[in-house]
Amino acid sequence: MRVRYFLAFWLFVLSGVAFLDRTNISIAGLQISTEYGLGNQRLGWIFSAFLIGYAGFQVPAGWLSARFGPRRVLTFGVMSWGIATVFTALLPSTISYAVLFLIGIRFVLGAGESVIYPAANQFVARWVPVKERGFINGLIFAGVGAGSGLTPPLLTWLITHHGWRAAFWFSAIVGFVVGAIWWQRSRDTPEEHPSVTREELAEIHDGLALKEGSSSEGENKISWRAILHRRDLPALMMGYFSFGYIAWIFFSWFFLYMAQVRGFDLKSSARYSMLPFLSMTIFCLLGGMLSDRLTDKFGLRTGRCGLAAVALWLTAVFLVLGSQVHSPQLAGLILAGGAGALYLSQSSFWSVSVDIAGNNSGVFSSMINMGGQIGGAVTASLTPWVAQRYGWTTSFAIAAILAIVGGICWMTVHPERPLLAESSSEEHLLAR
């Protein structure tokens, strides 16, 4: 096996653990809310606290990943979110102002988890040839669906038999183990890894050949001016805001929606809550493969932008249909289809960051990801408020409108124009 494939697989595992840690509170939400007397609105504040911490530290996480490399930064991040999860399990049931402590802990957890995808994107920029980036990003983000999909039945069993705190102890232990393995097996560059063969190193170097107009000096430093002047960066941030808003309806509220609105018991709700995340896993991998094939055949605009736009528009259709059908079982299936359609576009957001920014992709992708997490923070608190006053159909309709907007944003993105090449052209014109 190529070393880069193993490391990409381990990033898939880390991605799964990250979402185990961030969605465990939604599975344990009913028990935590009862124990501390919270209610859905305060629970929404706790969900939002994670996302505010996550979004607020995206740019520092991108800078750290570029400065210190994905190995050290990601290991530190995994250990920090394991510690935050332990503190959640240790919080006494008799403590006053429990909601404030939970908000603080989840904020710290979000800050710790902020490093995972900027660091993973930095790994892709350094290790993965252009022709493999769609699939590798699809594999990494398939961990989102896998981690979130395994969470409901596994944590429901733990909560049922051992209480909600056991779910957090389990999450923390798994995080410490996979973080230690990442530290032991990974390196920041292929040249540093003792197991990389000459053949694989040649494959990587050939696939990472510098694009016309870039320079080794530009590759070794963060081009802040070029990043901030990139015209399609706001479109990508808005597109990922839409993506994050929709995704976090599933991560934060889908379990409770199936239990409270569709009338499923705890076990049935856990089973149906698996479906969107299994769909995410399958379609994330499929989206990555489709992106690479379409890119190879039709170019980056079609392979990255066209696929993402169509996927988001399909998501809007599924959300509207799923929220209006009367059958709870059929609603679960259709909404799961919407989650899958959404994740067809996931690989494009991250692959296009590397296509555009190269070794600046840690910072560039962190800005895009910040938009997505702001969207998630908004939906974590806004969705229950809208549902309470106007119904869940309206909540899903708002998400569908954002999906349409996100697809339109993708039509303004130009991954075929690399950041450094564009910057070099501007500097040449200024010099003249």
Side-chain angles (χ1 to χ4, degrees):
M1 178 184 287
R2 298 288 192 263
V3 173
R4 66 183 183 274
Y5 298 154
F6 172 80
L7 294 179
F9 169 74
W10 209 251
L11 285 168
F12 160 85
V13 174
L14 284 165
S15 183
V17 173
F19 270 78
L20 171 68
D21 282 350
R22 70 178 69 177
T23 57
N24 52 18
I25 198 164
S26 65
I27 306 302
L30 291 172
Q31 289 74 21
I32 292 173
S33 181
T34 300
E35 183 166 329
Y36 295 109
L38 301 178
N40 279 2
Q41 197 68 56
R42 289 182 178 179
L43 205 57
W45 298 346
I46 296 167
F47 294 161
S48 292
F50 167 87
L51 289 158
I52 291 168
Y54 192 91
F57 282 84
Q58 279 300 302
V59 174
W63 178 82
L64 288 169
S65 299
R67 175 69 177 81
F68 297 105
R71 184 189 184 210
R72 280 179 286 180
V73 171
L74 192 48
T75 302
F76 174 80
V78 176
M79 296 305 165
S80 70
W81 78 58
I83 292 168
T85 304
V86 167
F87 275 110
T88 307
L90 291 174
L91 195 67
S93 58
T94 56
I95 195 169
S96 301
Y97 305 108
V99 65
L100 296 179
F101 283 98
L102 286 168
I103 286 172
I105 291 170
R106 295 300 288 186
F107 179 87
V108 171
L109 177 67
E113 286 206 15
S114 67
V115 303
I116 181 167
Y117 296 120
N121 213 235
Q122 199 69 40
F123 164 82
V124 171
R126 297 179 181 187
W127 279 80
V128 180
V130 174
K131 66 180 182 180
E132 298 175 357
R133 285 174 181 169
F135 174 74
I136 294 298
N137 275 308
L139 174 64
I140 293 169
F141 283 92
V144 173
S148 303
L150 292 172
T151 296
L154 178 61
L155 296 191
T156 297
W157 184 88
L158 282 171
I159 291 166
T160 301
H161 290 83
H162 304 288
W164 68 266
R165 296 175 195 276
F168 286 82
W169 283 114
F170 173 80
S171 301
I173 292 168
V174 171
F176 290 136
V177 171
V178 298
I181 293 172
W182 169 259
W183 171 257
Q184 195 274 328
R185 293 295 298 156
S186 69
R187 297 293 185 274
D188 290 323
T189 64
E191 292 81 3
E192 296 175 279
H193 204 293
S195 299
V196 173
T197 63
R198 291 182 179 179
E199 291 79 10
E200 182 176 7
L201 194 59
E203 287 177 2
I204 293 171
H205 284 168
D206 290 344
L208 296 180
L210 294 176
K211 295 180 176 69
E212 183 181 358
S214 66
S215 67
S216 58
E217 181 184 358
E219 288 288 321
N220 290 328
K221 66 179 183 179
I222 297 174
S223 304
W224 290 103
R225 183 181 182 280
I227 289 171
L228 295 176
H229 283 78
R230 182 78 189 194
R231 293 179 182 178
D232 44 11
L233 177 59
L236 284 166
M237 292 180 70
M238 183 61 213
Y240 213 45
F241 175 94
S242 303
F243 182 101
Y245 186 98
I246 299 162
W248 275 92
I249 289 179
F250 292 100
F251 296 135
S252 297
W253 296 110
F254 192 73
F255 182 86
L256 294 175
Y257 168 75
M258 297 304 287
Q260 295 178 350
V261 179
R262 293 295 185 170
F264 286 107
D265 59 28
L266 186 64
K267 290 183 178 179
S268 296
S269 184
R271 285 197 298 269
Y272 271 89
S273 293
M274 286 179 64
L275 294 178
F277 306 117
L278 292 175
S279 183
M280 288 176 185
T281 304
I282 294 168
F283 282 90
C284 196
L285 288 167
L286 178 62
M289 289 187 289
L290 275 175
S291 179
D292 282 340
R293 290 188 180 184
L294 290 170
T295 296
D296 185 56
K297 192 169 184 180
F298 301 106
L300 286 170
R301 280 276 288 165
T302 300
R304 309 293 196 227
C305 308
L307 175 64
V310 170
L312 285 164
W313 293 333
L314 280 174
T315 301
V317 174
F318 279 110
L319 291 175
V320 171
L321 291 176
S323 65
Q324 293 185 347
V325 297
H326 295 294
S327 167
Q329 293 81 4
L330 185 58
L333 290 172
I334 294 174
L335 290 172
L342 179 70
Y343 268 73
L344 272 176
S345 70
Q346 174 70 288
S347 177
S348 292
F349 281 101
W350 293 86
S351 296
V352 86
S353 298
V354 185
D355 295 331
I356 290 173
N359 275 0
N360 287 249
S361 62
V363 171
F364 192 83
S365 64
S366 72
M367 293 182 176
I368 297 170
N369 198 21
M370 181 171 62
Q373 305 320 310
I374 292 171
V378 171
T379 196
S381 295
L382 182 63
T383 294
W385 183 86
V386 172
Q388 183 179 349
R389 286 160 177 77
Y390 305 105
W392 276 94
T393 301
T394 303
S395 292
F396 282 110
I398 292 171
I401 291 168
L402 284 172
I404 294 169
V405 172
I408 294 170
C409 287
W410 265 108
M411 304 312 293
T412 69
V413 177
H414 290 276
E416 76 281 6
R417 301 173 187 169
L419 183 72
L420 293 173
E422 190 176 80
S423 178
S424 298
S425 298
E426 289 180 2
E427 289 174 3
H428 179 68
L429 288 172
L430 287 171
R432 290 181 64 186

